[in-house]
Amino acid sequence: MSKLIRKALFNENGDIDVLKRKVINGNTTNLNDFNNIKYAWTSKWYRQAMNNFWIPEEINMNQDIKDYRKLTKNEKETYDKILSFLIFLDSLQTANLPNVEEYITANEINLCLTIQAFQEAVHSQSYSYILDSICSPQERMDILYQWKNDEQLKRRNKFIGDLYNEFLENKEDIQLMKTLMANYILEGIYFYSGFMFFYNLARMGKMPGTVQEIRYINRDENTHLWLFKSIIIELQKEEPQLFTDELVMEYKNMLKKGVEEEIEWARYAIGDKIEGLSLKMVEEYICYLGNLRSRSLGFGNLYSFCLEEPKDMEWVNLYSNANIIKTDFFEAKSSAYAKSGALIDDL
Ligand code: ZN
Ligand code: ZN
């Protein structure tokens, strides 16, 4: 374990030679130069992220205003809880990414992280727009601060927040790697199972405006997952001491813990009370996501079961797949921003 060097904002003695560039502990000048990049994938990533630009208010919420009042009691409770949790996650992401950036010494990766932070802020604003459209001011406050009265949600948020807080206290390379893993788990497991609940509402013909917002958010989160996966894979090459068998086991245990946390949350927030979803479907889907995320980092499966996408959850992909985002689920106006071609997506 070694201390990370916090980079200077301007370093006149920094390395100009791209071959000397490193993801962490490099000697960077901090100058942004897009003509000389070491990590070629950042260029594709940047283009994709820029093409994904979207504006939350361009999505029409009229149907949702009516539907929200017609949701069953269980659907409404779950809608509120999951939205409250997503609001927390996106707020935390917006606040934490600059902390990670302080220790990343490849300027092209920092540029991507800055765009990600911007997108997380747009996501937060989209939730405010949804709430402003469908709720009274009092209901809006109740959803935003639901963790104040919901012990389970508070415990959950605290668990996730504490993982990030540890890096603020302890600036070691392993702690940064754990923060990157926590980020990857948040982006790749917590968000996705939340999105799935909204897609199920869409299957039932409810809350189409919320679902469109979520689909745009999902498309961005896909790229965030791609970004963190790429950073971790570069670190595997540059900093092998962070990937000993013992440490990889620790990262896999973090993933497992993430899966367990998400399943516990699903039992509480979704349960067996939502039309179109059974707890078994949701649990298998979360385990499948855990395996998928672990395999993407080259860590192998987490479990010997749920290796394939569960058949009864194939519909999730209809909504979440960025490559079919320009279907008639989206208003023609919004798709003007969806200039991007097929997303490079092997997540
Ligand atoms: Zn987000
Ligand atoms: Zn994100």
Side-chain angles (χ1 to χ4, degrees), residues 267-290:
R267 280 190 189 131
Y268 169 67
I270 303 175
D272 256 325
K273 55 195 180 194
I274 302 294
E275 187 189 1
L277 284 178
S278 72
L279 194 50
K280 183 174 166 290
M281 285 162 78
V282 176
E283 287 183 359
E284 284 177 359
Y285 182 65
I286 297 169
C287 288
Y288 157 73
L289 286 178

PDB file of all heavy atoms in Angstrom, residues 267-290:
ATOM      1  N   ARG A 267     -35.900  -6.713  -1.729  1.00  0.00           N
ATOM      2  CA  ARG A 267     -36.889  -7.422  -0.897  1.00  0.00           C
ATOM      3  C   ARG A 267     -37.760  -6.418  -0.171  1.00  0.00           C
ATOM      4  O   ARG A 267     -38.966  -6.600  -0.036  1.00  0.00           O
ATOM      5  CB  ARG A 267     -36.182  -8.296   0.148  1.00  0.00           C
ATOM      6  CG  ARG A 267     -35.698  -9.581  -0.443  1.00  0.00           C
ATOM      7  CD  ARG A 267     -35.209 -10.556   0.633  1.00  0.00           C
ATOM      8  NE  ARG A 267     -34.577 -11.659  -0.048  1.00  0.00           N
ATOM      9  CZ  ARG A 267     -33.388 -12.170   0.240  1.00  0.00           C
ATOM     10  NH1 ARG A 267     -32.704 -11.680   1.254  1.00  0.00           N
ATOM     11  NH2 ARG A 267     -32.894 -13.146  -0.456  1.00  0.00           N
ATOM     12  N   TYR A 268     -37.119  -5.370   0.302  1.00  0.00           N
ATOM     13  CA  TYR A 268     -37.831  -4.348   1.074  1.00  0.00           C
ATOM     14  C   TYR A 268     -38.667  -3.444   0.161  1.00  0.00           C
ATOM     15  O   TYR A 268     -39.853  -3.223   0.405  1.00  0.00           O
ATOM     16  CB  TYR A 268     -36.788  -3.525   1.853  1.00  0.00           C
ATOM     17  CG  TYR A 268     -37.335  -2.283   2.495  1.00  0.00           C
ATOM     18  CD1 TYR A 268     -38.259  -2.366   3.547  1.00  0.00           C
ATOM     19  CD2 TYR A 268     -36.931  -1.020   2.074  1.00  0.00           C
ATOM     20  CE1 TYR A 268     -38.756  -1.215   4.145  1.00  0.00           C
ATOM     21  CE2 TYR A 268     -37.415   0.126   2.669  1.00  0.00           C
ATOM     22  CZ  TYR A 268     -38.329   0.027   3.701  1.00  0.00           C
ATOM     23  OH  TYR A 268     -38.827   1.162   4.289  1.00  0.00           O
ATOM     24  N   ALA A 269     -38.051  -2.913  -0.889  1.00  0.00           N
ATOM     25  CA  ALA A 269     -38.723  -1.877  -1.691  1.00  0.00           C
ATOM     26  C   ALA A 269     -39.644  -2.445  -2.760  1.00  0.00           C
ATOM     27  O   ALA A 269     -40.664  -1.850  -3.069  1.00  0.00           O
ATOM     28  CB  ALA A 269     -37.662  -0.973  -2.343  1.00  0.00           C
ATOM     29  N   ILE A 270     -39.285  -3.592  -3.331  1.00  0.00           N
ATOM     30  CA  ILE A 270     -40.104  -4.139  -4.424  1.00  0.00           C
ATOM     31  C   ILE A 270     -40.925  -5.337  -3.941  1.00  0.00           C
ATOM     32  O   ILE A 270     -42.140  -5.391  -4.137  1.00  0.00           O
ATOM     33  CB  ILE A 270     -39.218  -4.536  -5.641  1.00  0.00           C
ATOM     34  CG1 ILE A 270     -38.412  -3.324  -6.134  1.00  0.00           C
ATOM     35  CG2 ILE A 270     -40.077  -5.113  -6.765  1.00  0.00           C
ATOM     36  CD1 ILE A 270     -37.422  -3.612  -7.252  1.00  0.00           C
ATOM     37  N   GLY A 271     -40.253  -6.271  -3.289  1.00  0.00           N
ATOM     38  CA  GLY A 271     -40.932  -7.451  -2.735  1.00  0.00           C
ATOM     39  C   GLY A 271     -41.684  -8.230  -3.794  1.00  0.00           C
ATOM     40  O   GLY A 271     -41.290  -8.242  -4.968  1.00  0.00           O
ATOM     41  N   ASP A 272     -42.774  -8.852  -3.370  1.00  0.00           N
ATOM     42  CA  ASP A 272     -43.586  -9.632  -4.314  1.00  0.00           C
ATOM     43  C   ASP A 272     -44.921  -8.949  -4.525  1.00  0.00           C
ATOM     44  O   ASP A 272     -45.943  -9.603  -4.688  1.00  0.00           O
ATOM     45  CB  ASP A 272     -43.796 -11.054  -3.753  1.00  0.00           C
ATOM     46  CG  ASP A 272     -42.904 -12.061  -4.473  1.00  0.00           C
ATOM     47  OD1 ASP A 272     -42.688 -11.884  -5.684  1.00  0.00           O
ATOM     48  OD2 ASP A 272     -42.422 -12.995  -3.813  1.00  0.00           O
ATOM     49  N   LYS A 273     -44.903  -7.638  -4.523  1.00  0.00           N
ATOM     50  CA  LYS A 273     -46.174  -6.915  -4.508  1.00  0.00           C
ATOM     51  C   LYS A 273     -46.378  -6.030  -5.731  1.00  0.00           C
ATOM     52  O   LYS A 273     -47.296  -5.224  -5.771  1.00  0.00           O
ATOM     53  CB  LYS A 273     -46.256  -6.076  -3.229  1.00  0.00           C
ATOM     54  CG  LYS A 273     -45.081  -5.145  -3.065  1.00  0.00           C
ATOM     55  CD  LYS A 273     -44.941  -4.572  -1.660  1.00  0.00           C
ATOM     56  CE  LYS A 273     -43.731  -3.661  -1.645  1.00  0.00           C
ATOM     57  NZ  LYS A 273     -43.242  -3.259  -0.392  1.00  0.00           N
ATOM     58  N   ILE A 274     -45.487  -6.154  -6.721  1.00  0.00           N
ATOM     59  CA  ILE A 274     -45.596  -5.297  -7.909  1.00  0.00           C
ATOM     60  C   ILE A 274     -45.985  -6.152  -9.117  1.00  0.00           C
ATOM     61  O   ILE A 274     -45.302  -7.136  -9.426  1.00  0.00           O
ATOM     62  CB  ILE A 274     -44.237  -4.588  -8.181  1.00  0.00           C
ATOM     63  CG1 ILE A 274     -43.798  -3.751  -6.966  1.00  0.00           C
ATOM     64  CG2 ILE A 274     -44.306  -3.736  -9.452  1.00  0.00           C
ATOM     65  CD1 ILE A 274     -44.673  -2.560  -6.637  1.00  0.00           C
ATOM     66  N   GLU A 275     -47.056  -5.737  -9.780  1.00  0.00           N
ATOM     67  CA  GLU A 275     -47.515  -6.468 -10.958  1.00  0.00           C
ATOM     68  C   GLU A 275     -46.405  -6.534 -12.002  1.00  0.00           C
ATOM     69  O   GLU A 275     -45.778  -5.512 -12.335  1.00  0.00           O
ATOM     70  CB  GLU A 275     -48.749  -5.754 -11.553  1.00  0.00           C
ATOM     71  CG  GLU A 275     -49.393  -6.532 -12.675  1.00  0.00           C
ATOM     72  CD  GLU A 275     -50.475  -5.725 -13.400  1.00  0.00           C
ATOM     73  OE1 GLU A 275     -50.704  -4.551 -13.036  1.00  0.00           O
ATOM     74  OE2 GLU A 275     -51.078  -6.299 -14.316  1.00  0.00           O
ATOM     75  N   GLY A 276     -46.153  -7.734 -12.520  1.00  0.00           N
ATOM     76  CA  GLY A 276     -45.144  -7.888 -13.578  1.00  0.00           C
ATOM     77  C   GLY A 276     -43.782  -8.312 -13.054  1.00  0.00           C
ATOM     78  O   GLY A 276     -42.922  -8.735 -13.818  1.00  0.00           O
ATOM     79  N   LEU A 277     -43.569  -8.175 -11.749  1.00  0.00           N
ATOM     80  CA  LEU A 277     -42.263  -8.545 -11.175  1.00  0.00           C
ATOM     81  C   LEU A 277     -42.460  -9.538 -10.036  1.00  0.00           C
ATOM     82  O   LEU A 277     -43.353  -9.352  -9.207  1.00  0.00           O
ATOM     83  CB  LEU A 277     -41.570  -7.315 -10.579  1.00  0.00           C
ATOM     84  CG  LEU A 277     -40.930  -6.303 -11.496  1.00  0.00           C
ATOM     85  CD1 LEU A 277     -40.358  -5.159 -10.663  1.00  0.00           C
ATOM     86  CD2 LEU A 277     -39.838  -6.928 -12.365  1.00  0.00           C
ATOM     87  N   SER A 278     -41.606 -10.556  -9.992  1.00  0.00           N
ATOM     88  CA  SER A 278     -41.586 -11.385  -8.777  1.00  0.00           C
ATOM     89  C   SER A 278     -40.214 -11.192  -8.146  1.00  0.00           C
ATOM     90  O   SER A 278     -39.253 -10.823  -8.837  1.00  0.00           O
ATOM     91  CB  SER A 278     -41.814 -12.857  -9.117  1.00  0.00           C
ATOM     92  OG  SER A 278     -40.655 -13.377  -9.754  1.00  0.00           O
ATOM     93  N   LEU A 279     -40.150 -11.449  -6.860  1.00  0.00           N
ATOM     94  CA  LEU A 279     -38.880 -11.280  -6.156  1.00  0.00           C
ATOM     95  C   LEU A 279     -37.808 -12.192  -6.760  1.00  0.00           C
ATOM     96  O   LEU A 279     -36.638 -11.816  -6.881  1.00  0.00           O
ATOM     97  CB  LEU A 279     -39.081 -11.582  -4.665  1.00  0.00           C
ATOM     98  CG  LEU A 279     -37.963 -11.139  -3.744  1.00  0.00           C
ATOM     99  CD1 LEU A 279     -37.571  -9.688  -3.972  1.00  0.00           C
ATOM    100  CD2 LEU A 279     -38.380 -11.339  -2.294  1.00  0.00           C
ATOM    101  N   LYS A 280     -38.245 -13.372  -7.167  1.00  0.00           N
ATOM    102  CA  LYS A 280     -37.298 -14.323  -7.766  1.00  0.00           C
ATOM    103  C   LYS A 280     -36.683 -13.727  -9.046  1.00  0.00           C
ATOM    104  O   LYS A 280     -35.468 -13.811  -9.257  1.00  0.00           O
ATOM    105  CB  LYS A 280     -38.030 -15.634  -8.085  1.00  0.00           C
ATOM    106  CG  LYS A 280     -37.148 -16.718  -8.631  1.00  0.00           C
ATOM    107  CD  LYS A 280     -37.917 -18.029  -8.776  1.00  0.00           C
ATOM    108  CE  LYS A 280     -37.151 -19.025  -9.634  1.00  0.00           C
ATOM    109  NZ  LYS A 280     -37.076 -18.685 -11.057  1.00  0.00           N
ATOM    110  N   MET A 281     -37.526 -13.118  -9.886  1.00  0.00           N
ATOM    111  CA  MET A 281     -37.017 -12.490 -11.117  1.00  0.00           C
ATOM    112  C   MET A 281     -35.980 -11.422 -10.768  1.00  0.00           C
ATOM    113  O   MET A 281     -34.907 -11.349 -11.384  1.00  0.00           O
ATOM    114  CB  MET A 281     -38.175 -11.797 -11.876  1.00  0.00           C
ATOM    115  CG  MET A 281     -39.113 -12.716 -12.604  1.00  0.00           C
ATOM    116  SD  MET A 281     -40.690 -11.853 -12.977  1.00  0.00           S
ATOM    117  CE  MET A 281     -40.236 -10.855 -14.391  1.00  0.00           C
ATOM    118  N   VAL A 282     -36.320 -10.598  -9.782  1.00  0.00           N
ATOM    119  CA  VAL A 282     -35.445  -9.476  -9.429  1.00  0.00           C
ATOM    120  C   VAL A 282     -34.123  -9.990  -8.847  1.00  0.00           C
ATOM    121  O   VAL A 282     -33.038  -9.528  -9.226  1.00  0.00           O
ATOM    122  CB  VAL A 282     -36.164  -8.537  -8.425  1.00  0.00           C
ATOM    123  CG1 VAL A 282     -35.241  -7.421  -7.983  1.00  0.00           C
ATOM    124  CG2 VAL A 282     -37.434  -7.961  -9.045  1.00  0.00           C
ATOM    125  N   GLU A 283     -34.205 -10.982  -7.968  1.00  0.00           N
ATOM    126  CA  GLU A 283     -32.987 -11.512  -7.336  1.00  0.00           C
ATOM    127  C   GLU A 283     -32.062 -12.143  -8.375  1.00  0.00           C
ATOM    128  O   GLU A 283     -30.845 -11.931  -8.346  1.00  0.00           O
ATOM    129  CB  GLU A 283     -33.354 -12.548  -6.262  1.00  0.00           C
ATOM    130  CG  GLU A 283     -33.940 -11.876  -5.034  1.00  0.00           C
ATOM    131  CD  GLU A 283     -34.264 -12.866  -3.908  1.00  0.00           C
ATOM    132  OE1 GLU A 283     -34.054 -14.087  -4.086  1.00  0.00           O
ATOM    133  OE2 GLU A 283     -34.714 -12.398  -2.870  1.00  0.00           O
ATOM    134  N   GLU A 284     -32.643 -12.900  -9.284  1.00  0.00           N
ATOM    135  CA  GLU A 284     -31.811 -13.548 -10.315  1.00  0.00           C
ATOM    136  C   GLU A 284     -31.167 -12.501 -11.221  1.00  0.00           C
ATOM    137  O   GLU A 284     -30.015 -12.650 -11.628  1.00  0.00           O
ATOM    138  CB  GLU A 284     -32.659 -14.520 -11.148  1.00  0.00           C
ATOM    139  CG  GLU A 284     -32.944 -15.790 -10.378  1.00  0.00           C
ATOM    140  CD  GLU A 284     -33.858 -16.758 -11.136  1.00  0.00           C
ATOM    141  OE1 GLU A 284     -34.292 -16.436 -12.266  1.00  0.00           O
ATOM    142  OE2 GLU A 284     -34.141 -17.817 -10.580  1.00  0.00           O
ATOM    143  N   TYR A 285     -31.913 -11.458 -11.499  1.00  0.00           N
ATOM    144  CA  TYR A 285     -31.384 -10.398 -12.356  1.00  0.00           C
ATOM    145  C   TYR A 285     -30.191  -9.707 -11.669  1.00  0.00           C
ATOM    146  O   TYR A 285     -29.158  -9.446 -12.298  1.00  0.00           O
ATOM    147  CB  TYR A 285     -32.493  -9.385 -12.670  1.00  0.00           C
ATOM    148  CG  TYR A 285     -32.064  -8.275 -13.584  1.00  0.00           C
ATOM    149  CD1 TYR A 285     -31.683  -8.535 -14.898  1.00  0.00           C
ATOM    150  CD2 TYR A 285     -32.033  -6.953 -13.137  1.00  0.00           C
ATOM    151  CE1 TYR A 285     -31.279  -7.499 -15.746  1.00  0.00           C
ATOM    152  CE2 TYR A 285     -31.644  -5.923 -13.983  1.00  0.00           C
ATOM    153  CZ  TYR A 285     -31.269  -6.196 -15.280  1.00  0.00           C
ATOM    154  OH  TYR A 285     -30.864  -5.173 -16.105  1.00  0.00           O
ATOM    155  N   ILE A 286     -30.316  -9.452 -10.377  1.00  0.00           N
ATOM    156  CA  ILE A 286     -29.224  -8.788  -9.644  1.00  0.00           C
ATOM    157  C   ILE A 286     -27.981  -9.690  -9.596  1.00  0.00           C
ATOM    158  O   ILE A 286     -26.852  -9.228  -9.795  1.00  0.00           O
ATOM    159  CB  ILE A 286     -29.686  -8.360  -8.230  1.00  0.00           C
ATOM    160  CG1 ILE A 286     -30.824  -7.330  -8.338  1.00  0.00           C
ATOM    161  CG2 ILE A 286     -28.523  -7.783  -7.420  1.00  0.00           C
ATOM    162  CD1 ILE A 286     -31.546  -7.035  -7.029  1.00  0.00           C
ATOM    163  N   CYS A 287     -28.184 -10.988  -9.346  1.00  0.00           N
ATOM    164  CA  CYS A 287     -27.042 -11.927  -9.341  1.00  0.00           C
ATOM    165  C   CYS A 287     -26.382 -11.968 -10.713  1.00  0.00           C
ATOM    166  O   CYS A 287     -25.148 -12.008 -10.834  1.00  0.00           O
ATOM    167  CB  CYS A 287     -27.496 -13.338  -8.966  1.00  0.00           C
ATOM    168  SG  CYS A 287     -27.912 -13.503  -7.247  1.00  0.00           S
ATOM    169  N   TYR A 288     -27.215 -11.955 -11.741  1.00  0.00           N
ATOM    170  CA  TYR A 288     -26.684 -11.956 -13.118  1.00  0.00           C
ATOM    171  C   TYR A 288     -25.830 -10.708 -13.348  1.00  0.00           C
ATOM    172  O   TYR A 288     -24.722 -10.782 -13.901  1.00  0.00           O
ATOM    173  CB  TYR A 288     -27.850 -12.036 -14.112  1.00  0.00           C
ATOM    174  CG  TYR A 288     -27.540 -11.506 -15.482  1.00  0.00           C
ATOM    175  CD1 TYR A 288     -26.709 -12.220 -16.358  1.00  0.00           C
ATOM    176  CD2 TYR A 288     -28.059 -10.282 -15.918  1.00  0.00           C
ATOM    177  CE1 TYR A 288     -26.406 -11.718 -17.612  1.00  0.00           C
ATOM    178  CE2 TYR A 288     -27.764  -9.775 -17.171  1.00  0.00           C
ATOM    179  CZ  TYR A 288     -26.929 -10.493 -18.010  1.00  0.00           C
ATOM    180  OH  TYR A 288     -26.622  -9.989 -19.251  1.00  0.00           O
ATOM    181  N   LEU A 289     -26.324  -9.542 -12.890  1.00  0.00           N
ATOM    182  CA  LEU A 289     -25.545  -8.299 -13.046  1.00  0.00           C
ATOM    183  C   LEU A 289     -24.201  -8.417 -12.324  1.00  0.00           C
ATOM    184  O   LEU A 289     -23.170  -7.986 -12.833  1.00  0.00           O
ATOM    185  CB  LEU A 289     -26.317  -7.096 -12.491  1.00  0.00           C
ATOM    186  CG  LEU A 289     -27.508  -6.565 -13.289  1.00  0.00           C
ATOM    187  CD1 LEU A 289     -28.159  -5.398 -12.541  1.00  0.00           C
ATOM    188  CD2 LEU A 289     -27.098  -6.119 -14.686  1.00  0.00           C
ATOM    189  N   GLY A 290     -24.219  -9.005 -11.133  1.00  0.00           N
ATOM    190  CA  GLY A 290     -22.982  -9.190 -10.361  1.00  0.00           C
ATOM    191  C   GLY A 290     -21.970 -10.014 -11.141  1.00  0.00           C
ATOM    192  O   GLY A 290     -20.793  -9.639 -11.261  1.00  0.00           O
TER     193      GLY A 290
END
